[in-house]
Amino acid sequence: MFLSPAIRARLLPRSIFSHIPFSTISAVADLAECPENDVIWRIVTQFQSHSQYSGKFFINSFRHNNFFKSEVLKLSPSEIDTIVQKFSFHNSENAIGFFFFLQNELGVKHSRNSRFVVAHLLAEKKRLRGLRCHLLRVVQDEGSESATPLCELLFKSFRFWDSNNLVWDMLALAYSRSDMVHDSLVVVRRMKDLDIQPSILTYHSLLHNLRHTDIIWDVYDEIKATGSGPTEYTNSIFLDGLCRQCLIHEAIAFLCNLEGKDGEPCLAAYNTLMSGFCRLGFVDIAKSFFCKMCKNGLLPDAYSYNILIHGLCVAGSVEEALDFTNDMENHGLEPDQVTYNIIAKGFHLLGMMDGDWKVTKRMLRLGSKPDFLTDTILLCWHCQTGNVEAGLRLREAMISKGFQLNRISYRVLLSCLCKSGRIAETLALLYEMASFGVKPDIFMYSAIIHGLCKLGEVKQAVQLFNNLCTEEITSNGFLHRSILLGLCKKGLIFEARSYFDTLTNRELMQDIVLYNIMVDTYANLGNVGEAVLLYQKLLERGIEPSIVTFNSLINGFCKTGKLVDARQFLNSIKLHDLVPNVITYTTIMNAFCDVGNIEAAFKLLEEMAANAVEPNQVTYTVVMKGLCRQGKVEDAVKVFKGMFAKGLSPDQASYNALIQYLFKAREFEKAFHLHDDMIKNGVQPNHITYNIIINGLCVYGNLCDAERVFSSLQDQNFRLSKVAYTTLIKANCAKGDARKAMLLFHQMVENGFEISVRDYSAVINRLCKRYLVKNAMEFVRMMLAGGLGLDQQICAVMIHSFDKIGDFASVFQFYAVTIKCGFYLS
C-alpha cells in the first residue's frame, strides 16, 4: 500500500519532526514510496531500540547482527531508501553512519536519492569535509555528463531542504575537482537560474581548470558580479591563465588596472606574472616587474627569488642568477634546497659540470660567500647525479678552506652514500655532523635506517632508531615500515612480529602498510592461518584493508593449494569497495594452471575482461604455461600471437616459456625461429633463454648442436651461467666423454663460479654409471685439491664402482676414509 506524505506524517510521532521543517518532511516523503515489508519493519524496530545511542555503538548493533547482514543485501534500492529516510527522522547522525556502513562495509550501491539525503544531512551538520568527500565519490561514480539528471533530482525532490544551497555548491565543486568542468558549468548555470550563489571556492576551482581557455573571462566577470568580488587569489589565477595563453599585453593591462582601481597588487600577483613571463622566455620583463615590486614597497619572498633564478638559469645567465642568490641572502632570506637545485640544473645546462672546476669557480667567484655557495651547488649536483666520490672530494676541499657544510649539503651526501650502500661512511658523516653542531633531522635518519635495512643490517637500524627516539625526534611511518620489512627479509620472523605488536598495540599506529608487510611475510612462508588472523585483527580495529592485503592472502592460499579459499577472498574484495587488479587475477590463474585446471584460468580471464582489468605479459605467460603443460603448444602459440594484437610486447619470460615447451615438443626449428624473432623485436635473450636452449638440445635433440650454441656464445663473450656449464658436463658424462666433461669443469672453475660438493657428486655419479671409475677418481682428486672433503654419497658410489671392477685395494682405501670421516655405509 502506498501512503501519501500527509498520512505518513500523521502516522509517525510528532516528536520525530520537532527539529525538521515541514518542507523537509515533505521532500523526504516524496523521495521513495515503497511498500514496507517485514524486513524493513524489523530493521527499523531494531533501530528504534538503539535510538538513544549514537556513533560506534549504534553501528556495531548492526555489524554484529547476523539477521541484518543476511537480509539487508536482499533489499531493493527503494527499500533501502525507505530505511535511510526513516532513520534520518530519528537521528541524522546515526542515519549517516548507517548509510556509510552499508556502502563501505557491505558494498551496497545506494540510489541517488539516498546519496542526496545523506549529503543534505551532512550539510545540516556543517560537516563540510565529509560532504565534499561524499559528493566527490558520487560524481566519480556517476561519471561525465551526469550533471543534468542530478540537477533535476536536486530541484524536484530537495529544493525545500534548508541545506539545499550548500549541496548545490558542493556538487559544482566536486565536478570541477574531478576534472569534469563541463558538468560543473551545467550545475553553476542551473544554480543561477535558481538564484543560488556559488561560493568563491567553487569559482576558484573552475577558474583554475579553465585557465587555458577563453571561458576564464566569463568566470572572472561572474566573480566580479558577486557581492564579495575577486580576491587576491582570484587575481593570481586569472593572471596565470592570461600568461599561459600568451596574452602578454592583456596580463600587463590587467595588473595596471589592479593598480589603478584597488591599490597595489599583492605579492602573489607579481609572482604569478613573473613566473608566466619566465615560462615564455621573457626574463627581462619578469626582472622589470621584480624591480617594480621592490620600488612599491613589497618585499619579495623566497618564491619570488626562485622564479627569477630559475628563469635566468634556463636563459643561460647563471652568473646573474648567483647575483640574485646573493641579494636574497642580503635581504635575510636563506637559499633553500629548491634554490640550490635550480642553480645546479643551470650549471648542467651550460655544461659547466664537465669542465675544470677551478676555471668554473674562478669565473663565478665573487667573494667568500659566493664561493661557498658555488661549492655547495656543485656538491649537491654531484650527489644528485650519483657521483659520490666527487661530492666527497669537494666536501674535503670545503672543510680545508674553513667552510662549514650546511644541513642541505649533509642531507644530499648522506642520501647519496646510503644509495651506494656505503653505510660505514654514512655513519661516520653522521658523527661528523654532531661534532660540528649540525643536528640530524628525520629525513637523514630515514635515509640511513632504510639503507641499513636494505643491506640486512637490521639490528644496527633498530639501534639508530632508538637513538632517534632518545633525541626526541618524531619518527614517521616510513621508518617503522623500513625496519619491519628489513626484519622480515632477514628471516627474523619472531623479532619482526614482536616489533609489529609493539607498534600496533599502541593504538596510535593504524598503518595498513605495516599489516600488509606481516601478512605478506606469513603468506610467503605458507603460514596462511596467521596471515588470516592478522587480517581479522585489522578489521576489528577499523582499519580498511587494501588490495595489497588481499593479494598477499590470495597468494598464500594459492601456495598452500587452498584454491577454494583463494576464490572466496577474491569475491570478498568487492565488499570493501576495492577492485581486484591484474596481480590478483594472475596469482589465482597461475595456481589453477599448476593443478591443470586451465578452464578455470580462462574463466578468470573472462572475468578480468568483464571488470575492465587489462591482462599483462605475466598473465598471458601464465596461460601459455598452463596450455603447454597439457600439451596444447599450438594454442599457447595463438595466445602468444594474441599478445601483439592486444598491443602488448612479450617479455623475456613470455618467450622463454614458449621456447622451453617447443623444445619439449621437439619443435626445434620453431624454437630457434622464436629466438630470432625475440631479437628482432628488441627483447634481448638472457642466460635463462640459453639455459633452456642448451638443455633442450641436450635432452631432446643433439649434444653436438648444444655444444655449437655454447661455443658460439663464448665467442660472443656472452656471460653464460653455471647452469649452462653443468648441463653440458652432465650430458658429456652420460655420453661417456670424460675428457670434454673435465675440460668444461675446468672452464667453469676458471670463470669464477662457486663449486660445491654437490657439483662434484653429480659428475662422479654419472661417470661411475658409465664404468669410467678412473675418470671419476680424477674428479675426486680435483675435489680434494680444491679443499673440499668427501661426503658419504661419493664414498658409497666409489666403493660400489671399485668393487664392480674388482679393484679391492681402492675399495679398502675408501672404506678407511668412510670410517675416518664417521660415515655409515649399509
Side-chain angles (χ1 to χ4, degrees):
M1 172 179 178
F2 289 88
L3 302 177
S4 67
I7 295 173
R8 292 180 63 159
R10 206 175 299 140
L11 290 174
L12 292 169
R14 290 184 61 83
S15 59
I16 292 175
F17 304 102
S18 59
H19 66 292
I20 304 176
F22 178 77
S23 60
T24 302
I25 298 168
S26 300
V28 173
D30 287 338
L31 280 175
E33 295 288 349
C34 68
E36 297 180 7
N37 60 31
D38 290 339
V39 176
I40 295 176
W41 178 255
R42 289 182 65 181
I43 290 172
V44 173
T45 304
Q46 178 166 340
F47 159 77
Q48 289 174 335
S49 68
H50 295 90
S51 60
Q52 69 271 30
Y53 301 108
S54 62
K56 290 184 178 178
F57 184 89
F58 170 74
I59 296 303
N60 283 335
S61 69
F62 292 103
R63 183 179 283 120
H64 302 299
N65 187 308
N66 292 329
F67 162 76
F68 169 74
K69 288 168 72 175
S70 62
E71 293 297 325
V72 75
L73 294 174
K74 300 175 184 177
L75 297 175
S76 67
S78 60
E79 290 172 325
I80 292 175
D81 281 353
T82 302
I83 298 173
V84 171
Q85 292 157 25
K86 284 182 176 292
F87 283 9
S88 68
F89 295 156
H90 291 264
N91 186 318
S92 58
E93 189 65 47
N94 288 346
I96 293 168
F98 176 77
F99 174 91
F100 286 114
F101 169 70
L102 292 186
Q103 175 179 276
N104 298 337
E105 297 193 33
L106 297 185
V108 171
K109 185 173 177 60
H110 288 290
S111 68
R112 290 171 175 174
N113 280 332
S114 286
R115 286 179 159 191
F116 275 129
V117 167
V118 168
H120 283 79
L121 294 177
L122 288 167
E124 284 177 3
K125 291 188 152 301
K126 303 300 180 189
R127 288 171 56 177
L128 301 185
R129 187 170 179 274
L131 174 61
R132 192 178 302 123
C133 294
H134 174 57
L135 287 177
L136 273 171
R137 177 166 177 172
V138 170
V139 300
Q140 286 165 5
D141 287 348
E142 293 287 341
S144 182
E145 300 183 4
S146 59
T148 301
L150 291 188
C151 288
E152 285 302 313
L153 178 61
L154 268 179
F155 174 71
K156 288 181 179 178
S157 301
F158 293 90
R159 62 183 179 276
F160 298 115
W161 285 65
D162 293 339
S163 53
N164 194 232
N165 289 6
L166 180 56
V167 174
W168 274 97
D169 183 58
M170 283 293 189
L171 182 64
L173 180 62
Y175 272 121
S176 179
R177 289 192 171 175
S178 300
D179 293 328
M180 291 182 255
V181 186
H182 174 74
D183 290 87
S184 183
L185 289 172
V186 169
V187 177
V188 169
R189 281 197 295 268
R190 194 64 185 273
M191 289 171 71
K192 288 169 68 178
D193 293 341
L194 298 172
D195 201 23
I196 301 172
Q197 180 63 54
S199 67
I200 193 65
L201 192 66
T202 301
Y203 273 128
H204 281 167
S205 180
L206 271 173
L207 202 62
H208 181 268
N209 284 331
L210 295 165
R211 66 191 188 280
H212 295 283
T213 69
D214 292 338
I215 306 176
I216 58 167
W217 295 94
D218 298 329
V219 176
Y220 188 79
D221 289 340
E222 282 188 28
I223 296 172
K224 283 169 63 178
T226 62
S228 56
T231 65
E232 292 178 348
Y233 184 58
T234 315
N235 293 331
S236 295
I237 300 172
F238 187 69
L239 266 173
D240 182 53
L242 294 175
C243 292
R244 287 179 185 275
Q245 295 181 54
C246 301
L247 301 173
I248 300 169
H249 297 296
E250 287 84 350
I252 295 172
F254 181 77
L255 191 73
C256 293
N257 188 50
L258 288 178
E259 292 175 350
K261 287 186 177 180
D262 305 320
E264 186 58 37
C266 66
L267 182 64
Y270 276 109
N271 285 345
T272 302
L273 203 58
M274 288 191 300
S275 178
F277 284 129
C278 285
R279 195 185 305 115
L280 294 170
F282 302 119
V283 186
D284 290 335
I285 299 176
K287 281 163 56 182
S288 68
F289 278 105
F290 184 87
C291 297
K292 186 176 183 180
M293 177 173 61
C294 295
K295 283 179 184 177
N296 291 333
L298 279 174
L299 293 176
D301 57 9
Y303 183 62
S304 311
Y305 277 104
N306 285 341
I307 289 167
L308 271 183
I309 291 167
H310 181 264
L312 289 164
C313 285
V314 170
S317 303
V318 181
E319 292 181 66
E320 196 175 353
L322 284 171
D323 287 338
F324 268 98
T325 309
N326 298 332
D327 187 66
M328 185 179 183
E329 292 181 335
N330 293 335
H331 283 86
L333 293 170
E334 187 71 24
D336 55 14
Q337 192 161 358
V338 175
T339 316
Y340 288 123
N341 289 342
I342 289 168
I343 298 181
K345 287 177 182 177
F347 274 81
H348 179 61
L349 285 170
L350 295 178
M352 290 182 176
M353 292 299 169
D354 300 325
D356 186 359
W357 285 7
K358 292 180 181 178
V359 176
T360 305
K361 287 192 283 185
R362 191 184 302 121
M363 182 185 70
L364 297 173
R365 186 173 289 116
L366 302 171
S368 60
K369 195 65 176 176
D371 190 37
F372 166 74
L373 174 66
T374 308
D375 285 339
T376 304
I377 292 166
L378 288 167
L379 187 148
C380 290
W381 174 257
H382 284 304
C383 289
Q384 287 171 355
T385 54
N387 193 350
V388 65
E389 294 295 344
L392 290 171
R393 284 199 303 272
L394 190 54
R395 163 185 156 274
E396 293 293 337
M398 291 175 74
I399 293 172
S400 66
K401 288 188 287 187
F403 292 141
Q404 170 61 55
L405 270 69
N406 58 19
R407 192 183 300 275
I408 293 173
S409 305
Y410 277 117
R411 185 186 290 179
V412 293
L413 268 173
L414 285 168
S415 177
C416 192
L417 285 167
C418 287
K419 287 176 182 176
S420 304
R422 298 163 68 166
I423 298 298
E425 292 171 271
T426 305
L427 294 172
L429 201 62
L430 197 65
Y431 299 133
E432 179 189 297
M433 288 176 61
S435 65
F436 284 125
V438 181
K439 192 174 181 181
D441 57 25
I442 185 62
F443 301 103
M444 298 176 190
Y445 274 113
S446 296
I448 299 170
I449 289 172
H450 185 62
L452 285 167
C453 290
K454 281 184 76 175
L455 292 174
E457 302 292 339
V458 188
K459 290 182 180 178
Q460 203 170 357
V462 173
Q463 184 181 350
L464 193 62
F465 176 75
N466 293 333
N467 293 344
L468 182 150
C469 297
T470 306
E471 294 178 20
E472 297 182 350
I473 298 174
T474 306
S475 61
N476 58 20
F478 179 76
L479 284 178
H480 297 306
R481 295 169 189 174
S482 295
I483 293 172
L484 185 63
L485 194 59
L487 288 167
C488 290
K489 284 185 175 178
K490 194 79 173 175
L492 304 170
I493 307 303
F494 176 78
E495 292 83 351
R497 184 56 190 265
S498 299
Y499 184 71
F500 171 80
D501 288 339
T502 303
L503 291 175
T504 54
N505 288 337
R506 292 177 184 171
E507 296 292 340
L508 299 172
M509 189 61 67
Q510 302 294 311
D511 188 354
I512 184 59
V513 178
L514 294 176
Y515 282 91
N516 287 345
I517 291 169
M518 286 307 305
V519 168
D520 189 59
T521 301
Y522 281 127
N524 283 324
L525 290 172
N527 191 351
V528 192
E530 198 64 43
V532 172
L533 286 175
L534 276 179
Y535 167 73
Q536 292 170 348
K537 183 178 179 182
L538 69 88
L539 290 180
E540 288 168 7
R541 294 196 169 186
I543 304 171
E544 278 297 318
S546 68
I547 192 62
V548 176
T549 320
F550 286 104
N551 285 348
S552 296
L553 287 166
I554 288 168
N555 181 47
F557 284 121
C558 289
K559 279 190 170 185
T560 53
K562 299 177 180 177
L563 300 187
V564 175
D565 293 322
R567 181 72 206 196
Q568 285 177 349
F569 265 88
L570 174 64
N571 296 334
S572 65
I573 288 176
K574 295 173 185 176
L575 294 178
H576 292 270
D577 204 24
L578 295 170
V579 179
N581 60 19
V582 66
I583 297 172
T584 322
Y585 283 110
T586 304
T587 303
I588 304 182
M589 287 169 67
N590 187 54
F592 277 122
C593 288
D594 283 344
V595 297
N597 191 350
I598 193 70
E599 292 79 13
F602 273 106
K603 283 181 182 177
L604 283 168
L605 201 60
E606 291 171 5
E607 189 176 317
M608 286 177 75
N611 292 330
V613 180
E614 287 294 328
N616 59 15
Q617 290 97 329
V618 181
T619 315
Y620 284 113
T621 303
V622 163
V623 175
M624 283 160 49
K625 285 182 177 179
L627 288 166
C628 288
R629 284 194 190 104
Q630 294 190 352
K632 300 176 180 178
V633 181
E634 292 300 323
D635 291 337
V637 172
K638 288 178 183 176
V639 172
F640 179 82
K641 291 177 179 177
M643 291 174 69
F644 291 98
K646 295 278 186 181
L648 287 171
S649 298
D651 57 9
Q652 289 171 328
S654 308
Y655 278 103
N656 291 345
L658 200 52
I659 289 170
Q660 183 175 16
Y661 285 101
L662 284 171
F663 271 108
K664 283 186 178 179
R666 289 176 168 75
E667 299 277 0
F668 303 132
E669 190 176 338
K670 287 184 179 178
F672 279 111
H673 178 74
L674 200 58
H675 166 267
D676 296 340
D677 189 56
M678 185 178 185
I679 296 169
K680 284 178 187 175
N681 289 325
V683 182
Q684 190 60 41
N686 55 11
H687 67 274
I688 297 173
T689 315
Y690 291 114
N691 289 346
I692 291 167
I693 290 173
I694 291 168
N695 183 71
L697 288 170
C698 287
V699 176
Y700 305 106
N702 192 306
L703 177 57
C704 294
D705 291 335
E707 288 174 339
R708 275 195 288 271
V709 171
F710 185 87
S711 299
S712 173
L713 291 169
Q714 282 185 319
D715 294 340
Q716 296 170 39
N717 293 320
F718 185 86
R719 173 69 177 172
L720 288 156
S721 70
K722 183 182 173 183
V723 174
Y725 282 94
T726 54
T727 301
L728 275 180
I729 290 167
K730 290 172 185 176
N732 276 291
C733 287
K735 187 183 175 183
D737 195 338
R739 186 187 62 81
K740 277 190 181 178
M742 180 68 77
L743 181 66
L744 286 165
F745 205 95
H746 278 297
Q747 285 182 12
M748 187 168 67
V749 174
E750 287 167 6
N751 283 324
F753 291 111
E754 187 178 343
I755 311 299
S756 65
V757 174
R758 189 176 177 180
D759 296 320
Y760 281 104
S761 181
V763 178
I764 291 166
N765 242 328
R766 282 172 172 76
L767 288 171
C768 287
K769 283 181 180 178
R770 300 286 296 181
Y771 301 104
L772 300 170
V773 188
K774 290 183 180 179
N775 299 113
M777 194 62 197
E778 288 181 40
F779 278 96
V780 171
R781 293 191 189 100
M782 190 195 304
M783 180 179 173
L784 295 171
L788 294 173
L790 298 171
D791 66 357
Q792 185 171 335
Q793 185 184 358
I794 292 175
C795 288
V797 168
M798 294 305 296
I799 289 170
H800 180 71
S801 300
F802 279 121
D803 183 52
K804 273 197 167 185
I805 63 173
D807 188 347
F808 300 113
S810 297
V811 170
F812 286 118
Q813 184 182 355
F814 270 96
Y815 259 123
V817 171
T818 58
I819 293 166
K820 187 177 179 180
C821 294
F823 298 145
Y824 172 77
L825 298 176
S826 57

